[in-house]
């Protein structure tokens, strides 16, 4: 099996004031603007909140999926509560509104990823999937524990519905432990270290909590593998990988579309109140 390497690394910038007041700080783990390199991933924000209470305001999305991974704390709205290790996989599709009554705990931290939808599914009916950590399949081995949120790992398959084929796994490694994740060779992917440090890929690229390691699609069919090895303090790692869509997209505000005309259509539909509220939707 072909072994993957880390082809490039990016540095996550320091936290800066976010959109939700003085208690909110944020940084872009993936910055928009180079979609050909990050496809099918558009951006990912790392959000930290130092005080409990309301977080953000009602806002729409369309033409994309948001994948919200709760790293610490809790976040609750009319649709329920997300706790540490839970994921909300929200397909905005033709349009959806995130609730205005979101409440968070002190010390909340989350990653929110924007995932581009295939052209054929960009305007699909919106849906919300709540992936509870305790309900996700787990693979345990010598010094590692892998929770499978989407895709597969070591023959374990998550039941998550995907418009774009995506693998999302959380990997917890004891000091010095190794783990190998098999991925389709065509996938583009990245590794984020939440705690500790690792060596990744054939070149044993060192990754710590301020680095993102990217592994490019391989020019071959079949499967490939990404090897990870923890440092002396162990590690907690998220690995995201997905099938590039190789499409042209335009983005403005919370919308991703195929043209400016399609963007205008999203704004018009939102102003006319045609987007359902995510908090009132039954999770699928």
């Amino acid at each position: 099996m072909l072994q993957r390497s880390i082809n490039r690394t990016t540095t996550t910038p320091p936290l800066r004031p976010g959109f939700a007041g003085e208690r909110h700080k944020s940084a872009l783990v993936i910055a928009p603007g180079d979609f050909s390199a990050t496809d099918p991933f558009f951006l990912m924000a790392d959000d930290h909140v130092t005080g409990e209470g309301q977080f953000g305001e009602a806002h729409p999305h369309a033409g994309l999926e948001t994948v919200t991974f709760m790293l610490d704390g809790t976040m609750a709205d009319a649709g329920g509560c997300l706790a540490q290790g839970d994921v909300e996989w929200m397909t905005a599709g033709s349009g959806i509104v995130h609730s205005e009554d979101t409440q968070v705990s002190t010390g909340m931290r989350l990653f929110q990823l924007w995932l581009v939808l295939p052209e054929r599914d960009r305007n699909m009916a919106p849906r919300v999937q709540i992936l509870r950590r305790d309900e996700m399949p787990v693979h345990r081995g010598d010094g590692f524990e892998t929770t499978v949120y989407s895709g597969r790992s070591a023959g374990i398959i998550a039941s998550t519905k995907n418009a774009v084929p995506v693998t999302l796994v959380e990997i917890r490694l004891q000091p010095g432990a190794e783990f190998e994740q098999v991925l389709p060779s065509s996938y583009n992917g990245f590794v984020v270290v939440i705690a500790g440090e690792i060596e990744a890929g054939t070149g044993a690229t060192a990754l710590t909590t301020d680095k993102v390691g990217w592994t490019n699609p391989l020019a071959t069919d079949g499967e490939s593998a990404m090897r990870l090895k923890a440092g002396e303090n162990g590690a907690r790692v998220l690995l995201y990988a997905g099938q590039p869509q190789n499409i042209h997209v335009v983005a403005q505000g919370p919308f991703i579309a195929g043209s400016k005309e399609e963007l205008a259509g999203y704004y018009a539909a939102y102003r006319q109140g045609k987007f359902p509220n995510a908090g009132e939707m039954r999770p699928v």
Side-chain angles (χ1 to χ4, degrees):
M1 183 179 297
L2 290 175
Q3 294 294 317
R4 283 180 172 256
S5 60
I6 297 297
N7 302 105
R8 62 187 176 93
T9 61
T10 59
T11 301
T12 302
L15 294 170
R16 301 184 63 182
F19 58 79
E22 294 181 357
R23 62 195 176 96
H24 175 216
K25 295 188 182 300
S26 183
L28 284 175
V29 179
I30 301 174
D34 192 10
F35 182 60
S36 62
T38 64
D39 186 2
F41 311 109
F42 190 80
L43 66 78
M44 188 162 80
D46 180 2
D47 289 300
H48 297 241
V49 175
T50 56
E52 65 182 3
Q54 185 168 336
F55 180 64
E57 300 176 347
H59 60 279
H61 286 291
L64 71 150
E65 291 184 309
T66 62
V67 181
T68 303
F69 196 113
M70 294 297 299
L71 295 169
D72 294 297
T74 62
M75 180 171 67
D77 61 17
C81 181
L82 294 177
Q84 181 179 359
D86 292 344
V87 172
E88 180 195 70
W89 202 296
M90 188 184 78
T91 305
S94 59
I96 199 169
V97 176
H98 249 149
S99 179
E100 74 281 358
D101 61 350
T102 302
Q103 301 288 318
V104 301
S105 65
T106 297
M108 186 215 75
R109 182 187 179 194
L110 62 80
F111 280 164
Q112 187 177 95
L113 174 73
W114 289 19
L115 179 63
V116 168
L117 288 168
E119 285 184 314
R120 67 180 182 277
D121 295 321
R122 190 157 50 230
N123 293 303
M124 65 185 289
R127 68 186 177 198
V128 177
Q129 299 174 82
I130 303 299
L131 312 180
R132 301 292 182 194
R133 177 180 176 84
D134 293 344
E135 298 173 0
M136 295 296 101
V138 175
H139 174 216
R140 295 182 177 89
D142 186 13
F144 69 82
E145 178 181 286
T146 303
T147 304
V148 187
Y149 289 90
S150 180
R152 65 176 64 204
S153 183
I156 297 172
I157 304 174
S159 60
T160 307
K161 301 178 188 299
N162 296 122
V164 173
V166 170
T167 294
L168 170 54
V169 293
E170 180 189 35
I171 307 153
R172 294 176 182 260
L173 298 164
Q174 295 178 11
E178 297 185 29
F179 174 76
E180 183 175 270
Q181 174 64 42
V182 175
L183 298 168
S185 296
S186 60
Y187 277 20
N188 193 25
F190 64 97
V191 178
V192 184
V193 180
I194 307 304
E197 59 183 19
I198 61 169
E199 294 178 347
T202 56
T205 301
L207 297 175
T208 56
T209 54
D210 66 338
K211 300 293 184 184
V212 179
W214 285 88
T215 179
N216 296 342
L218 302 175
T220 183
D221 295 329
E223 294 186 325
S224 59
M226 171 59 73
R227 290 179 178 170
L228 307 175
K229 181 178 180 180
E232 61 182 12
N233 295 315
R236 180 187 177 195
V237 178
L238 291 179
L239 187 152
Y240 296 79
Q243 180 64 46
Q245 294 304 292
N246 299 311
I247 58 176
H248 171 75
V249 296
V250 292
Q252 184 174 333
F255 303 143
I256 295 178
S259 66
K260 291 183 178 179
E261 291 75 18
E262 192 172 31
L263 277 176
Y266 289 151
Y267 277 102
Y270 173 59
R271 288 193 294 267
Q272 294 164 15
K274 294 182 178 180
F275 289 4
N277 191 298
E280 298 172 355
M281 297 183 66
R282 182 184 299 274
V284 297

